[in-house]
Amino acid sequence: MIYNITNNSPLEVECDLLVLPVLCEALEGPGTGTLRRYAAASGVDLGALAQEEGFAGKPGQTLMLRGLGGAATRRVVLVGVGKAEDVALGALRQVGVTAARCGRQVRARVIGVCIAEPVRATGLHEAQAMAQLYEGFSRSIYRFERYLSTKEVRQDSFERLVLIAPDADTSPIEAALATSHLISEAVSTARNLVNEIPSVLTPFELGVRATSIATCNSLEHHVLDVAQLTERGFNLILAVGKGSDNPPCLIHLVYRPQGPVHHKVALVGKGVTFDTGGYSIKGGEHMLHMHSDMAGAAAVLAAAQAIGKLRPPGIEIHFIAPAVENAINGRAIKPQDIVKGYGGKTVEILNTDAEGRLILADALAYAQEQGVQTIVDLATLTGAIVVALGECTAGLFSNDDGLAQQLLGAAHTAGEDLWRMPLTQKLDARLETPMADMKNIGGRTGGAITAALFLKRWVELERWAHIDLAGPAWMETESTDFAQGGTGYGVSTLVYFIQALAHEYREGQPIARNLAK
Ligand code: BES
Ligand code: ZN
Ligand code: ZN
């Protein structure tokens, strides 16, 4: 996406649509800030017009005006952001979403946005606010149109976004926007991977796309094929993968910073390119959208793309994604099979639909071998987390409070809903079986917790977190907070998380109490 930043007055910026976020307060009395300036310079009293049209600046309210004269824009849209005291960064992201939607409505080529007024009145950080706006905008102009015949492809007229910061020093804004731009591109990469159809995005194809992300962003890459997985004993990945004609693989990209390494992190993502459930087959509607069961892997690989470009100092990062298709043939695993995982423990597979935890068990054991001090895994792991938290929120499980706080902080910055869940140790007994070291299901209740406890059995590290994103990874319909289809959930949180880690080291602060271990 093309954008530029200017410190000209919004009246001077030539655009097809000028987007002005408006606070409720700006419409009370004689009007304030941008609206007053607009009136003084052009003789057009936007505040009065707004009031006549019943626009009060409430969140979500918009008012499109044209033929005003007095400014270099063809149209103005006022976007309500509510009362100053209630305006948070998320409201600016929402302005970005609205700007893109209004722009599409009027087929605008150049869209200008000026957020000076709400930023000044609310004391928000201008660069951060611009970054949020950019991320919202970019998310809303994304389309996955690969399978539309040419004549049906929506002709998008959008060409350029102009971010207007009158009289401001634009350099901090430029720095924040550069990061947002890379994050937004990475979010689109994740969404392209999640939206791709299952016959195209097989485990092999995911490996191909990961390799291309690595080569384009100077990352090391390894993709272990079936022969290598067999030789090294990744038996759980192989067990889930053997029911499909599309063979599994294990993807591993590495980012190595220039200079000294202070901390090593592994980001692990579940890459089930289609989940039929296997012999414990998914019934009814449950199999729909199961091509999105690789959203964890997509988030991790997309984060690799952004991190390869941002190149944060001091942090070495391993991006690991076990990729399989969970399907059925004569050789597919059956309920009651027992398999010994890469980490050396045996699992009685009682439900072949609980496959994510199986492939992650091998991947987590492999991640630990890389000598990392922190592991974060992302997986569309359970329907139970959606029952618990709804579809907008992902669940966070961690054995380390410091790591949990860092991830919650990063999610907040990213505007992604993340909620900490307990690793209730008492439920761990549900994974016991007389037949093997553990079984892969833990009963009807507390399903997201027992799934997390299953993963925990494969992690010795004391800084591990698991994010169950089965809810927000895919959205059936577009809403104010989410796009339709693959959402790219997690990418932004991961990038902000890594950036914060790198920053803490630069500041010379110890990042966690258990690092020395
Ligand atoms: N991929 C599913 C989880 C899922 C459900 C993701 C809904 C996205 C939306 C996972 O592999 C699965 O099938 N989990 C089972 C576990 C059960 C058999 C213990 C589930 O949640 O029903
Ligand atoms: Zn499943
Ligand atoms: Zn699954």
Side-chain angles (χ1 to χ4, degrees), residues 175-176 178-183 217 255 303-313 495-496 498-499:
T179 304
S180 284
H181 177 68
L182 294 180
I183 290 177
N217 298 288
Y255 164 70
Q305 172 187 313
I307 287 163
K309 294 214 160 77
L310 288 164
R311 306 205 87 73
V495 177
Y496 283 121
I498 296 293
Q499 277 206 319

Side-chain angles (χ1 to χ4, degrees), residues 24 59 114 164 234 280 311 325 371 482:
C24 293
C114 178
I164 308 164
F234 289 94
S280 314
R311 306 205 87 73
E325 185 178 83
F482 287 99

Side-chain angles (χ1 to χ4, degrees), residues 6-10 19-23 32-35 37 92 95 113-126 129-130 133 163-168 173:
T6 171
N7 52 13
N8 286 343
S9 145
V19 182
L20 296 177
V22 176
L23 291 162
T32 56
T34 313
L35 297 190
R37 279 211 266 169
L92 273 304
V95 171
V113 191
C114 178
I115 60 168
E117 163 84 353
V119 163
R120 203 168 299 134
T122 54
L124 289 175
H125 189 281
E126 184 161 32
M130 282 282 197
L133 180 131
L163 297 154
I164 308 164
D167 313 321
I173 303 177

Side-chain angles (χ1 to χ4, degrees), residues 33-108:
T34 313
L35 297 190
R36 186 189 284 174
R37 279 211 266 169
Y38 201 106
S42 68
V44 180
D45 189 345
L46 288 181
L49 272 177
Q51 267 160 351
E52 274 171 41
E53 298 295 325
F55 176 90
K58 291 190 190 135
Q61 243 187 337
T62 57
L63 176 65
M64 184 93 76
L65 301 162
R66 62 168 298 171
L68 295 173
T73 179
R74 288 176 55 210
R75 288 186 174 84
V76 173
V77 63
L78 306 183
V79 180
V81 286
K83 292 205 174 89
E85 61 191 42
D86 301 330
V87 174
L89 282 175
L92 273 304
R93 197 172 324 120
Q94 208 45 58
V95 171
V97 170
T98 309
R101 285 184 191 158
C102 293
R104 183 173 310 129
Q105 241 174 49
V106 299
R107 299 184 151 271

Side-chain angles (χ1 to χ4, degrees), residues 270 275-277 282 290 293 326 352-356 381:
K270 169 179 172 181
D275 184 9
T276 67
K282 286 186 181 293
M290 278 303 141
D293 209 15
N326 188 22
T352 63
D353 197 9
E355 83 299 338
L381 203 62

